[in-house]
């Protein structure tokens, strides 16, 4: 017979892992400190702890920035591997929130299924990326064409096997727990893995579109913390008690200025603005391409009222200014990074409050877990990719894309297309003749 208090003890944390219990103790300590501050009873060593946390947080911030720049310099392949590692680490942290070791001991396959569903989605998403990269290597793509032609079906079949596996492991007395775990796993896959995949999509459009959104969120996070630390007086949102209006506004204005200036500095660097010709491109590669027109400087006429004001202040007449169109786009992306992206962090704070923990982990001293640092990046990546495809991306047809379509034709259609191209090129005078025509 089950003891009367067993279910309530599980809800109160009796079945939680030691790591989760440590996080809850840290959270309860933080709540106590906030309450003491509100009542005016601040411990004497509170200021010393605050500055210690500031130094620790600053040191690891610069270490993370240095590591980030290193991965950028090593090119698309290293960036993709970095994103993959982040996806796995964050997925692990999020999944661990719903972990109940006491029940999982009776369900030995629950963790294995979490890993399996992650593997299925990663295979589907990264398989698409590999196919896209191999379009620049037509003959290699030709040998792997049967795999790529059925990639979606293979991925779906893998998922179906996982679904059958899950249903076959349902056990009486654990139905609600197992269904909750199944739903939580799919939520983590959608919010973490699928959203972060937009980062990979941005890489293939040019490292600039991967780098800029992330840099804007980092700058906004740093300066919101700085302004809040030194000037914060008014709480911004109840979910995150340490967030202040001063930090929100100060970080936002700084991000807007940074985005406008930093975009101009990056626009002449073809390593950044060109779509990667291959995955092993690095910062030392000689990259050449026809850049997107938004990176080309244009002259804009200054309104007469502004010209008059500048003449009075600077004693100099300015009628035109030279600005790159992408700088105006960067203002829109910066505004999102400042105004909306932080709510991804607030959502993460809501999740932490729901599970009564302070941080998602403790892998980054002074910052918490990996999720605590990248909670805003996923929604930012999704927005920047959507914005790019809606307002900036040019409609282009590449040789790789045409050849990929050519490969799916049967031999008769391929020969027919060959003769059609041959006839067109000879008629238009592009080539005088084609040697050894296929008959």
């Amino acid at each position: 017979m089950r003891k009367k208090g067993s279910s309530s003890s599980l809800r109160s944390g009796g079945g939680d892992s030691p790591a989760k219990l440590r996080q809850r103790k840290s959270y309860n300590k933080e709540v106590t400190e906030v309450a003491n501050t509100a009542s005016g009873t601040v411990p004497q060593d509170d200021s010393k702890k605050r500055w210690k946390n500031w130094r620790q947080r600053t040191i690891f911030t610069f270490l993370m920035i240095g590591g980030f720049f290193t991965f950028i310099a090593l090119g698309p392949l290293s960036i993709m591997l970095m994103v993959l590692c982040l996806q796995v680490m964050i997925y692990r942290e999020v999944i661990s929130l719903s972990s109940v070791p006491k029940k999982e001991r009776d369900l030995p396959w629950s963790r294995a299924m979490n890993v399996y569903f992650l593997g299925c989605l990663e295979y589907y998403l990264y398989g698409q990326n590999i196919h896209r990269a191999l379009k620049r290597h037509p003959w290699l793509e030709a040998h792997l064409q049967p795999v790529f032609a059925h990639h979606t079906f293979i991925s779906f079949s893998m998922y179906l096997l996982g679904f059958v596996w899950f249903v076959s492991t349902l056990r009486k007395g654990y139905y609600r727990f197992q269904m909750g775990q199944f739903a939580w796993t799919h939520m983590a896959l959608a919010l973490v893995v699928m959203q972060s995949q937009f980062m990979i999509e941005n890489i293939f459009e040019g490292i600039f579109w991967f780098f800029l959104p992330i840099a804007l969120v980092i700058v906004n996070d740093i300066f919101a913390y700085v302004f809040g630390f030194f000037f914060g007086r008014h709480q911004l949102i109840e979910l995150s008690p340490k967030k202040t209006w001063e930090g929100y506004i100060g970080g936002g204005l700084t991000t807007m200025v940074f985005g406008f200036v930093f975009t101009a500095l990056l626009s002449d660097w073809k390593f950044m603005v060109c779509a990667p010709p291959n995955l092993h491109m690095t910062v030392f590669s000689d990259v050449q391409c026809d850049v997107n027109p938004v990176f080309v400087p244009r002259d804009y006429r200054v309104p007469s009222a502004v010209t008059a004001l500048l003449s009075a202040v600077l004693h100099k007449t300015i009628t035109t200014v030279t600005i790159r169109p992408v700088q105006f786009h960067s203002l829109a992306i910066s505004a999102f990074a400042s105004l909306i992206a932080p709510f991804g962090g607030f959502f993460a704070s809501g999740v932490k409050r729901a599970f009564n923990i302070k941080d998602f982990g403790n892998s980054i001293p002074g910052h918490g877990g990996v999720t605590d640092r990248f909670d805003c990046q996923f929604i930012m990546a999704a927005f920047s990719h959507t914005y790019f495809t809606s307002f900036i991306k040019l409609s282009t047809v590449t040789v790789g894309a045409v050849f990929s379509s050519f490969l799916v034709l049967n031999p008769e259609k391929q020969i027919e297309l060959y003769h059609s191209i041959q006839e067109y090129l000879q008629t238009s005078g592009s080539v005088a003749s084609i040697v050894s025509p296929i008959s």
Side-chain angles (χ1 to χ4, degrees):
M1 182 180 292
R2 187 172 58 183
K3 293 183 179 180
K4 184 175 180 181
S6 60
S7 61
S8 60
S9 65
L10 284 176
R11 287 194 296 269
S12 62
D16 288 337
S17 62
K20 190 183 293 186
L21 291 176
R22 286 195 298 269
Q23 291 176 359
R24 285 185 174 175
K25 289 178 181 178
S26 177
Y27 170 75
N28 292 333
K29 183 178 180 181
E30 180 191 25
V31 171
T32 302
E33 290 176 355
V34 172
N36 289 339
T37 302
S39 61
T41 58
V42 181
Q44 293 181 356
D45 61 343
D46 181 68
S47 178
K48 186 181 297 185
K49 289 182 179 179
R50 192 181 185 198
W51 280 103
K52 180 181 179 181
N53 182 67
W54 161 267
R55 288 192 297 271
Q56 189 179 57
R57 186 184 180 99
T58 301
I59 291 171
F60 278 89
T61 294
F62 282 106
L63 288 176
M64 286 190 293
I65 292 175
F68 177 66
F69 277 110
T70 301
F71 279 105
I72 292 292
L74 292 176
L77 182 59
S78 69
I79 298 173
M80 291 176 64
L81 293 176
M82 177 187 68
V83 174
L84 176 61
C85 291
L86 291 175
Q87 286 176 338
V88 173
M89 294 171 69
I90 295 172
Y91 177 78
R92 179 178 176 273
E93 289 182 350
V94 173
I95 287 296
S96 67
L97 294 180
S98 64
S99 175
V100 181
K102 185 174 181 180
K103 291 187 176 182
E104 290 178 351
R105 281 195 293 268
D106 299 328
L107 302 168
W109 296 109
S110 59
R111 292 189 179 184
M113 277 189 281
N114 291 334
V115 176
Y116 178 82
F117 282 119
L118 174 64
C120 290
L121 185 56
E122 295 287 14
Y123 172 80
Y124 173 69
L125 296 175
Y126 278 85
Q128 290 181 324
N129 295 328
I130 293 173
H131 187 198
R132 182 186 306 178
L134 289 182
K135 285 181 179 179
R136 298 181 174 90
H137 306 278
W139 301 113
L140 182 58
E141 184 194 13
H143 288 86
L144 296 176
Q145 181 60 31
V147 177
F148 292 131
H150 305 292
H151 173 71
T152 302
F153 181 79
I154 294 172
S155 303
F156 184 63
S157 298
M158 291 171 61
Y159 175 81
L160 289 179
L161 287 176
F163 178 75
V164 172
W165 182 18
F166 167 74
V167 175
S168 65
T169 60
L170 289 173
R171 290 182 56 182
K172 185 177 180 180
Y174 293 91
Y175 293 149
R176 178 173 294 183
F177 172 76
Q178 288 181 284
M179 290 298 178
Q181 293 292 88
F182 187 76
W184 185 259
T185 298
H186 283 68
M187 186 204 74
L189 291 173
L191 294 182
V192 175
V193 182
M194 294 191 70
Q195 276 201 117
S196 60
Q197 186 64 19
F198 286 109
M199 294 182 178
I200 306 297
E201 298 290 333
N202 291 339
I203 294 173
F204 284 97
E205 304 297 346
I207 294 178
F208 175 90
W209 302 108
F210 168 83
F211 179 72
L212 180 66
I214 293 179
L216 292 174
V217 171
I218 292 174
V219 168
N220 184 73
D221 186 51
I222 291 174
F223 282 94
Y225 181 78
V226 170
F227 277 92
F229 184 86
F230 289 103
F231 308 107
R233 295 292 183 272
H234 304 88
Q235 188 182 90
L236 174 63
I237 188 168
E238 185 179 351
L239 276 174
S240 192
K242 293 184 179 180
K243 304 295 183 182
T244 64
W245 277 104
E246 290 81 2
Y248 185 69
I249 296 173
L253 293 176
T254 305
T255 303
M256 298 282 286
V257 174
F258 171 83
F260 190 82
V261 175
F262 194 58
T263 297
L265 297 176
L266 293 179
S267 295
D268 286 325
W269 194 3
K270 289 194 174 182
F271 169 76
M272 282 287 180
V273 302
C274 291
N278 51 65
L279 291 180
H280 55 267
M281 176 187 78
T282 69
V283 70
F284 303 106
S285 302
D286 182 21
V287 182
Q288 299 296 329
C289 70
D290 295 326
V291 300
N292 192 304
V294 297
F295 292 105
V296 179
R298 297 182 186 177
D299 291 331
Y300 293 89
R301 182 174 297 277
V302 178
S304 56
V306 177
T307 300
L309 178 62
L310 293 176
S311 299
V313 175
L314 303 177
H315 304 289
K316 183 179 180 180
T317 303
I318 301 176
T319 57
T320 60
V321 293
T322 302
I323 300 176
R324 303 170 193 269
V326 71
Q327 291 180 263
F328 295 117
H329 292 295
S330 74
L331 289 177
I333 299 174
S334 299
F336 185 90
S338 304
L339 302 176
I340 308 299
F343 282 84
F346 301 152
F347 174 80
S349 296
V351 173
K352 289 186 285 187
R353 297 298 179 267
F355 286 90
N356 196 29
I357 59 174
K358 180 184 178 182
D359 298 312
F360 283 94
N362 53 9
S363 54
I364 310 176
H367 292 268
V370 181
T371 311
D372 295 288
R373 287 280 56 82
F374 288 88
D375 48 13
C376 302
Q377 294 290 0
F378 300 144
I379 190 173
M380 187 69 205
F383 171 80
S384 57
H385 181 74
T386 304
Y387 184 91
F388 174 82
T389 55
S390 299
F391 302 106
I392 301 174
K393 186 175 182 178
L394 300 175
S395 297
T396 57
V397 178
T398 65
V399 174
V402 173
F403 188 78
S404 181
S405 300
F406 172 81
L407 291 175
V408 302
L409 299 175
N410 58 47
E412 291 77 12
K413 293 295 183 181
Q414 290 178 347
I415 294 174
E416 180 183 348
L417 178 61
Y418 172 82
H419 286 303
S420 298
I421 295 175
Q422 176 187 21
E423 181 181 357
Y424 171 78
L425 292 176
Q426 290 176 342
T427 303
S428 63
S430 299
V431 293
S433 63
I434 297 180
V435 181
S436 301
I438 298 175
S439 58

